[in-house]
Amino acid sequence: MDWSSLPPLAALRAFSAYAETGSVNRAGDALNVSHAAISQQLRALETHLGLRLLERNGRSMTLTPDGHQLARTLAESFDQISQTITALTGADDARPLHIATSPSFAANWLMPRMGNFTAEHPEFDVMISPSPDLVTLEPGGVDVAVRYGEGGWKGVDSEPLIRSPITVVAAPSLVGDGPIPSLEDLAKLPWIQELGTTEATQWLASHGIQNARIKGIVVPGNLMLDGLRNGQGVAVTTYVAIKDDLESGRLRLLHEERPNAGYHIVTRPTAHRPALKAFLKWLRQEGKMASE
């Protein structure tokens, strides 16, 4: 690192504050300095870099393309610095550990095991947000998500937790014990879909059944298994959710695909506070035991 080539930190902070607030006065308030000091730092930064970062038109200013690029980099960098300092100093320790995952995974895999974590770590409060939506991990918000897929999401760190292919299942009382029904016959049966998803329609379409009118019920993920067991419909779900039901014969496996897909632990690429460190260690152990 050539430290001598970098502009003064005060100038970078002033520019980043201006880019965030859009106002010299508000930037001064954010940094507890005068607006004149902000203006001086902005000009000093442009002089140091030999670049025009701001387009000046009378009393108004807008960022140039170079200014936008530098503003984005500084915002990301200062955010990471802030998150790391918060994690290291324990300033965020009182906030509950915030976990996001799908309703079905929360109900069928995570919650039956969470008692072990809270028994081991009664000092940490936990909040679980079950949602089929792909949540954004932000400072002060969700600490860790458990997502389904092949991993490799941009802007986050991810690691495999447990492999779980996609399955299509139903109770023998609905589809019988004989040959697996054809796709056309399956499309005519009632389906159970998790609230906020269109998995049945998407799965049938991916297998050539276009514009199928899906009949059945839409329920929160934690109620899907009850409906399946009672023969109320066919469902697309992950293997880990119905493993015990398949082994007991309560449900029947009709189709299985995406063998390399599964649930992944997803976190921000920043320092982890103590509650998150403890949870990640415990979660990895649970995933390892469940895979054995």
Side-chain angles (χ1 to χ4, degrees), residues 109 160-162 282-292:
W109 196 94
L161 173 61
I162 184 171
W282 171 83
L283 190 60
R284 294 181 185 112
Q285 292 172 342
E286 291 295 322
K288 183 178 179 181
M289 287 190 293
S291 300
E292 292 176 348

Side-chain angles (χ1 to χ4, degrees), residues 143-267:
D143 293 289
V144 55
V146 180
R147 292 181 183 173
Y148 184 82
E150 277 82 18
W153 294 280
K154 292 183 178 180
V156 293
D157 292 337
S158 66
E159 59 180 282
L161 173 61
I162 184 171
R163 190 181 68 85
S164 183
I166 285 290
T167 64
V168 177
V169 295
S173 61
L174 179 67
V175 296
D177 297 314
I180 293 175
S182 67
L183 292 174
E184 290 76 10
D185 289 337
L186 281 179
K188 297 174 184 177
L189 293 173
W191 285 71
I192 304 174
Q193 296 192 91
E194 183 173 341
L195 185 67
T197 71
T198 56
E199 291 176 330
T201 304
Q202 292 176 352
W203 186 84
L204 287 168
S206 70
H207 288 76
I209 308 297
Q210 301 290 339
N211 302 318
R213 183 182 178 279
I214 301 299
K215 58 182 179 179
I217 58 176
V218 177
V219 296
N222 59 313
L223 300 180
M224 181 183 290
L225 274 183
D226 292 334
L228 279 169
R229 291 165 182 157
N230 293 328
Q232 296 178 22
V234 185
V236 180
T237 187
T238 59
Y239 180 79
V240 297
I242 43 81
K243 177 182 177 182
D244 293 341
D245 291 278
L246 292 178
E247 293 175 350
S248 68
R250 288 189 295 267
L251 295 178
R252 184 179 176 193
L253 181 63
L254 305 177
H255 293 274
E256 180 175 320
E257 48 199 58
R258 294 181 70 184
N260 296 321
Y263 290 96
H264 292 70
I265 303 169
V266 180
T267 56

Side-chain angles (χ1 to χ4, degrees), residues 36-140:
I38 295 293
S39 297
Q40 183 179 3
Q41 293 288 4
L42 296 179
R43 292 189 181 279
L45 181 60
E46 289 180 308
T47 300
H48 183 100
L49 297 176
L51 296 172
R52 188 172 61 180
L53 303 175
L54 296 161
E55 199 75 61
R56 295 170 174 84
N57 184 13
R59 296 175 62 87
S60 66
M61 295 189 297
T62 57
L63 297 178
T64 65
D66 287 337
H68 278 292
Q69 183 176 349
L70 180 60
R72 284 192 298 270
T73 299
L74 288 176
E76 293 171 0
S77 300
F78 283 133
D79 180 58
Q80 289 192 11
I81 292 171
S82 176
Q83 291 179 46
T84 299
I85 291 174
T86 297
L88 292 176
T89 59
D92 209 22
D93 287 352
R95 183 171 60 86
L97 177 69
H98 194 168
I99 306 163
T101 189
S102 66
S104 58
F105 184 81
N108 302 317
W109 196 94
L110 185 59
M111 281 305 297
R113 294 169 167 82
M114 278 301 297
N116 296 331
F117 176 75
T118 55
E120 292 177 18
H121 298 283
E123 70 274 24
F124 299 134
D125 293 325
V126 178
M127 178 170 63
I128 299 177
S129 297
S131 171
D133 298 328
L134 194 67
V135 301
T136 301
L137 278 66
E138 297 178 338

